[in-house]
C-alpha cells in the first residue's frame, strides 16, 4: 500500500499565523455598539489583553507565533495529514481523499490551537486567571490544558445540563487543574438573577457566557477567553492549513476542494484560509479550489440565515457583529454536534461567504452519523459528531466523482475524535436520533427580532 | 526547546517481530494438561488457527510481519517516542525521560498491535468469526477494530457489570461493527448454567472466557482470540520496542531503565523484549539496562506470587502454565486499572523474572493516580490507569536521580490514553479511591489451592 500518513518534523511547525484579512477584497465590517457606531477596542480591555486585541484588529498578513506557544504546539503538532486509502476503496471512488487529523491534541480537538496562544498572551500581559464558558466541553478542556501549561488559573462555567450529562469532559478539565462550575451559579449577579427566577434553570451557553464575562470584567487579574468566532481565534487556527499545505507539497498533490465543519467558523477557517492565501496570490493550482463550510441542517446559519448585524450572544451583551445569523435568540434543537449549535458565524467567514468566495452546505444529523460510522469502519478513527459533518459532505463529493469519473483531490478537517461522544453514537445505533429541518417560519420569526442597526 | 517528538516514517514499521524465546537462557516451560503431561498443540486447533499456534511454539528469533498487517499498522504506526522535557522540569531531575505513546491507535491502546495480526491470521485460515471476552473493554474494542479491517464478524462477551458501567467502550465496539453481549448470557451452556443458579450474576472475566471459548470450540467457522499472556501476543507487541530502538538511535541515546505496566505481560514484553535482544547479543550499551515490570500492590503477581503451574482462568478450563501466580481463584480488589487485575502473568515474563533477568515493583493505587495527574499537567496527555503504574515507577526513579545527581535515561511505555477512564479520575479527585495491600494470609490461602502438578 502506498504512503498513508504524511508527517512533518517539529521544525515544520509554522513560524507565523496567516491573517486572511490581508487578502480579503474588502476590509472587515467593524463591530458596532448599540448606538450603531464602531466599538473602540479599548472598551474590550476589561476582558481581553491588549496583545490579543491588537491581533483582533490586525491587517498584517503574517503574524509571528511566539516561541513559548510553538513549544507547547510541539507536544502534538504538526498533526498528520492522512490519505484515506481504505475509505476510497470502500466508496469505490476515483477521488483522492485526505484528512488533516486534529484529534491528536491532548484535548482531542483543534481547540488547543487557540487556547494555547490565548493563555500565553494573557500570561505575558500579567493576567493570573482566565474565565470561559463551555457547553459540551471541548473548548473548556482546551483552555484548562492551556492554562495549566502557562500557570494560569482557569474557571469554566459549564452549562448545567452538560455538567451533569457529560461528566467526563468535566473530569478532564479538573485533571488539568481547572475549576468547573455548573452554570447558572450563585457566584455572579447574572447567575443569581436567573436562579432567583428559576432555581432549576438547566443553563445555556448564553447564560454561561454572561457569568464568565461578568467575572472577568469585575476582576483586574482575570480575563475572558473565547473559543471561536473572533478574528484572533480564526488566526490561531491557521496552523492547521499551513501545515496541510506543506504536507501536500511533500507528496506533490494539491486539493480541488476543502471541507470543514462550520459552527463558529474557526475549524473551517483553520484549514481553509491558508489555501485562500494561495488563491489570492494568484497561485495557478488554487484558482479552481473550492472551500465548503459544512453546517447542520438544524442550524443552517450560512445556508438559511441573513447577513446582518446581530449580537454574538443570546442576551445581547456583546457588540453587534456583521455576520450570517439566524437571530441571536434562535434556539437550535439539541443535536449531538454541540460545537455547531451557534446562531451566528464568524464575521470573517460570513463576509467571505457573502462575497461568494466560499461555499456552504447543510447536512442532516442522521446522514452525518452514517458517514462517521462508514469512516470509522474504514479508517479506524471514530470522529466527533462535528467532524462527521465534513466527512458527510466529502463522501458525497467522492460519490459524485465516482459517478462522473473525476479523480478530484479532496481534503477535509477531522477536527476531533469522538471518544467523549460515544453516548451520541449509542443513540444513533439505537435509532433514537432524529433529523430536524428547521421550519422556515421559525427562522423568519427569529430574524424579525434582529436588532435595528443601520448597516 | 529541543526536539520533543521522535517520529519514524511508515517505511520504518518493523518488517519482523522479535521472538524472545530465541534468546532465553532456558527453553520455556511447556503448558501441561491436567494429567501433568505437555499439551499437544493440535488440541488447541479447535479455537486457534494453525498459523498462530505455530507462532506460539516458535523458537525463531525473527518472524516476518505480513504485509496486510503492516498496511493496517500504517493507520497509526510507527507511534511516537516522546521526550518528556516538561515532566523533567517539573520534577527537577537530571534524568532524561522518554515515553513511547501507544494511545495513538484508534482503540487508544497498544492492544491492536496483536488484535490486527490475530484477525489477519484467522482470515487467512478461512475463519469467518472471532469470539473474545473483555472486562473494561480495551481488548474487546481492539479486536472489534481488527475484525472490521479483515472482514471478520466479532462477538465480544463483556463482563456484565462493565457492560452497564462502561457503556462507551461498548459503543466503540459497536461502531466498529462488533456484537457485544453482557456476560453471563443465555447463549452458551456456561452462561445458562450460571444464570440458572444466579440470575443476577454480575459476570466475571472467567465466565466471559468460558462463554467465548465454548462458542469458538463449537463452531467450525469461529475461533477465539486472547489479548495477552500467550507467547504470540507478546511477540506481536514487540513492534513497540523495535520502533523505540530505532527512535533512540535517531537521537543518539539509549535507555538505562525501561518501565512498563504488567498485568498479563504483553505491554511490558512489547517495549522490553527488543532491548533484551541487545543484551543477549552482547551490545555494550545494553549490559547495564534494567527492565522493570510495574504491577499494582493490590494484585502483586510477580512481587508476592509464586512460580508454579496454574490455570490461566478462574474455572480451570485452560492448560496449566508455569507462571507467577496468586492462585487462579485469587480475586483482586476492584481497582481502576482493570487491565492489571490478573492473577497470573505471561509464562515468558514469569520465566525471565524467575531467572532474575528482569525486575518487578508493586505500586499502590493512589500513588499511581497522583503520578498520572502530575504527568497530564506537565505533558498534556491523560494516561490510562494501567499506564499510570509505569509513570509512577519512572517518576520515583527520576526523583532518585535527582537525589543522587545521576543523569539516567529512562523509558516508559505509555500504553494508552485515559479517555474512557475519566470516571476513575473523578473518583480519585473526590477522594473515593483507596489503597489495597493484599493481606499475606489471603495470598497464602489462594496458593494452597494451586493445582497439584509435578513441575
Amino acid at each position: 500500500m502506498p504512503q498513508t500518513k504524511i508527517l512533518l518534523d517539529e521544525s515544520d511547525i509554522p513560524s507565523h499565523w496567516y491573517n486572511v484579512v490581508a487578502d480579503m477584497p474588502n476590509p472587515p465590517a467593524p463591530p458596532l455598539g448599540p448606538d450603531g457606531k464602531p466599538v473602540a477596542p479599548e472598551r474590550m480591555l476589561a476582558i481581553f489583553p491588549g496583545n490579543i486585541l491588537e491581533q483582533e484588529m490586525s491587517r498584517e498578513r503574517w503574524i509571528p507565533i511566539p516561541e513559548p506557544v510553538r513549544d507547547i504546539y510541539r507536544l502534538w503538532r504538526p498533526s498528520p495529514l492522512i490519505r484515506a486509502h481504505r475509505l476510497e476503496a470502500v466508496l469505490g471512488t476515483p477521488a483522492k481523499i485526505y484528512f488533516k487529523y486534529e484529534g491528536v491534541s491532548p484535548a482531542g480537538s483543534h481547540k488547543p490551537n487557540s487556547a494555547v496562544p490565548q493563555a500565553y498572551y494573557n500570561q505575558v500581559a500579567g493576567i493570573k486567571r482566565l474565565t470561559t464558558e463551555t457547553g459540551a466541553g471541548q473548548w473548556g478542556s482546551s483552555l484548562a490544558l492551556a492554562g495549566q501549561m502557562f500557570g494560569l488559573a482557569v474557571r469554566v462555567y459549564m452549562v448545567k445540563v452538560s455538567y451533569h450529562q457529560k461528566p467526563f469532559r468535566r473530569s478532564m478539565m479538573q485533571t488539568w487543574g481547572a475549576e468547573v462550575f455548573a452554570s447558572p451559579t450563585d457566584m455572579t449577579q447574572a447567575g443569581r438573577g436567573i436562579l432567583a427566577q428559576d432555581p432549576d434553570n438547566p443553563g445555556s451557553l448564553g447564560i454561561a457566557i454572561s457569568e464568565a464575562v461578568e467575572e472577568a470584567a469585575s476582576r483586574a487579574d482575570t480575563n475572558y477567553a473565547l473559543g471561536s468566532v473572533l478574528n484572533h481565534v480564526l488566526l490561531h487556527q491557521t496552523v492547521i492549513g499551513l501545515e496541510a499545505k506543506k504536507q501536500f507539497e511533500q507528496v506533490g498533490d494539491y486539493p480541488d476542494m476543502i471541507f470543514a465543519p462550520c459552527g463558529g467558523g474557526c475549524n473551517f477557517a483553520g484549514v481553509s484560509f491558508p489555501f485562500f492565501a494561495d488563491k489570492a496570490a494568484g497561485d495557478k493550482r488554487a484558482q479552481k479550489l473550492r472551500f465548503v463550510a459544512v453546517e447542520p441542517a438544524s442550524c443552517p446559519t450560512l445556508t438559511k440565515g441573513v447577513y446582518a448585524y446581530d449580537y454574538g450572544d443570546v442576551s445581547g451583551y456583546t457588540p453587534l457583529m456583521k455576520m450570517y445569523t439566524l437571530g441571536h435568540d434562535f434556539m437550535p434543537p439539541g443535536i449531538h454536534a454541540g460545537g455547531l449549535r451557534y446562531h451566528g458565524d464568524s464575521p470573517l467567514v460570513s463576509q467571505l461567504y457573502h462575497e461568494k468566495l466560499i461555499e456552504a452546505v447543510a447536512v442532516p444529523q442522521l446522514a452525518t452519523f452514517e458517514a462517521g460510522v462508514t469512516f470509522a469502519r474504514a479508517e479506524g478513527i471514530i470522529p466527533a459528531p462535528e467532524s462527521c459533518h465534513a466527512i458527510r459532505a466529502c463522501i458525497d463529493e467522492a460519490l459524485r466523482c465516482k459517478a462522473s469519473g473525476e479523480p478530484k483531490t479532496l481534503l477535509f478537517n477531522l477536527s476531533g475524535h469522538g471518544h467523549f461522544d460515544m453516548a451520541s453514537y449509542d443513540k444513533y445505533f439505537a435509532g433514537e436520533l432524529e433529523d430536524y429541518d428547521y421550519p422556515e417560519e421559525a427562522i423568519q420569526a427569529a430574524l424579525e427580532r434582529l436588532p435595528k442597526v443601520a448597516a
Side-chain angles (χ1 to χ4, degrees), chain A:
Chain A
M1 189 180 284
Q3 189 179 5
T4 296
K5 297 186 302 304
I6 301 133
L7 304 177
L8 297 174
D9 285 332
E10 283 171 27
S11 56
D12 292 315
I13 292 174
S15 60
H16 293 69
W17 291 298
Y18 166 68
N19 183 5
V20 77
V21 172
D23 287 322
M24 286 169 68
N26 296 298
L32 303 182
D35 56 358
K37 290 182 185 161
V39 177
E42 303 79 57
R43 284 201 38 210
M44 307 300 284
L45 279 171
I47 59 169
F48 292 118
N51 46 17
I52 282 187
L53 287 174
E54 204 175 296
Q55 287 190 347
E56 184 65 21
M57 312 296 291
S58 173
R59 298 188 180 191
E60 290 295 315
R61 182 171 284 107
W62 297 103
I63 295 182
I65 305 179
E67 276 309 307
V69 170
R70 297 179 80 227
D71 278 347
I72 303 299
Y73 280 173
R74 281 168 189 266
L75 294 177
W76 70 93
R77 302 208 71 85
S79 69
L81 179 73
I82 304 180
R83 173 83 185 269
H85 292 294
R86 293 176 52 88
L87 179 63
E88 293 170 18
V90 165
L91 300 175
T93 179
K96 288 184 277 184
I97 302 177
Y98 294 86
F99 62 96
K100 182 76 169 160
Y101 186 38
E102 291 293 309
V104 294
S105 84
S109 79
H110 66 298
K111 292 286 186 188
N113 295 334
S114 183
V116 169
Q118 289 194 51
Y120 167 76
Y121 286 118
N122 275 287
Q123 186 218 37
V124 166
I127 289 297
K128 305 296 181 202
R129 297 164 77 248
L130 289 176
T131 64
T132 198
E133 74 289 336
T134 204
Q138 285 204 348
W139 169 248
S141 55
S142 300
L143 195 70
L145 169 71
Q148 177 62 235
M149 297 289 149
F150 289 104
L152 298 178
V154 172
R155 282 203 156 177
V156 182
Y157 291 89
M158 187 171 188
V159 176
K160 191 185 276 175
V161 60
S162 299
Y163 182 94
H164 293 297
Q165 278 178 0
K166 307 212 170 187
F168 298 150
R169 278 273 176 203
R170 166 171 57 72
S171 318
M172 201 175 196
M173 294 184 243
Q174 290 168 335
T175 303
W176 286 320
E179 290 178 291
V180 189
F181 301 101
S183 165
T185 73
D186 60 2
M187 296 155 46
T188 64
Q189 284 194 343
R192 283 190 296 269
I194 285 156
L195 289 175
Q197 292 190 339
D198 174 11
D200 296 325
N201 188 298
S204 74
L205 218 42
I207 296 168
I209 292 177
S210 303
E211 293 205 278
V213 168
E214 180 185 320
E215 180 179 348
S218 66
R219 292 185 56 147
D221 67 348
T222 302
N223 268 341
Y224 169 72
L226 190 68
S228 192
V229 179
L230 298 181
N231 301 2
H232 67 275
V233 185
L234 273 60
L235 174 79
H236 301 153
Q237 292 293 353
T238 59
V239 289
I240 302 172
L242 291 166
E243 288 177 5
K245 276 169 65 169
K246 276 196 199 172
Q247 288 162 313
F248 272 108
E249 258 171 46
Q250 197 175 295
V251 292
D253 209 341
Y254 197 85
D256 295 303
M257 293 178 77
I258 299 176
F259 302 87
C262 196
C266 71
N267 188 327
F268 172 76
V271 68
S272 298
F273 284 1
F275 290 93
F276 185 88
D278 284 356
K279 203 162 184 170
D283 186 317
K284 272 195 177 176
R285 298 165 306 175
Q287 295 316 304
K288 288 185 179 173
L289 176 51
R290 293 166 57 193
F291 306 94
V292 184
V294 190
E295 58 185 19
S298 54
C299 191
T301 316
L302 294 172
T303 51
K304 295 204 177 170
V306 294
Y307 188 50
Y309 269 102
D310 196 5
Y311 295 109
D313 66 326
V314 180
S315 314
Y317 290 172
T318 72
L320 290 158
M321 295 181 291
K322 185 89 179 269
M323 60 181 179
Y324 277 84
T325 176
L326 295 164
H328 60 278
D329 60 1
F330 174 84
M331 265 294 160
I335 57 163
H336 287 263
L340 306 183
R341 290 178 71 236
Y342 184 60
H343 70 277
D345 211 317
S346 138
L348 295 182
V349 168
S350 295
Q351 186 162 329
L352 290 170
Y353 181 65
H354 184 66
E355 297 182 351
K356 302 196 188 319
L357 297 167
I358 64 172
E359 304 168 39
V361 62
V363 292
Q365 175 159 268
L366 291 176
T368 62
F369 276 95
E370 186 203 26
V373 171
T374 299
F375 179 82
R377 292 184 179 178
E379 298 291 328
I381 298 166
I382 297 177
E386 290 82 2
S387 308
C388 291
H389 286 69
I391 297 174
R392 176 74 267 168
C394 184
I395 286 180
D396 287 345
E397 184 64 30
L399 293 174
R400 279 190 287 273
C401 289
K402 183 180 183 176
S404 69
E406 281 175 290
K408 283 187 186 171
T409 297
L410 310 177
L411 165 64
F412 70 86
N413 194 28
L414 185 48
S415 50
H417 62 61
H419 300 170
F420 292 88
D421 303 286
M422 295 314 300
S424 306
Y425 278 91
D426 235 19
K427 289 197 171 153
Y428 171 68
F429 287 120
E432 292 169 14
L433 293 193
E434 289 175 25
D435 281 338
Y436 311 83
D437 256 327
Y438 217 80
E440 299 283 346
E441 317 84 71
I443 294 177
Q444 284 314 315
L447 293 180
E448 278 161 24
R449 295 190 294 273
L450 280 182
K452 310 289 175 242
V453 176

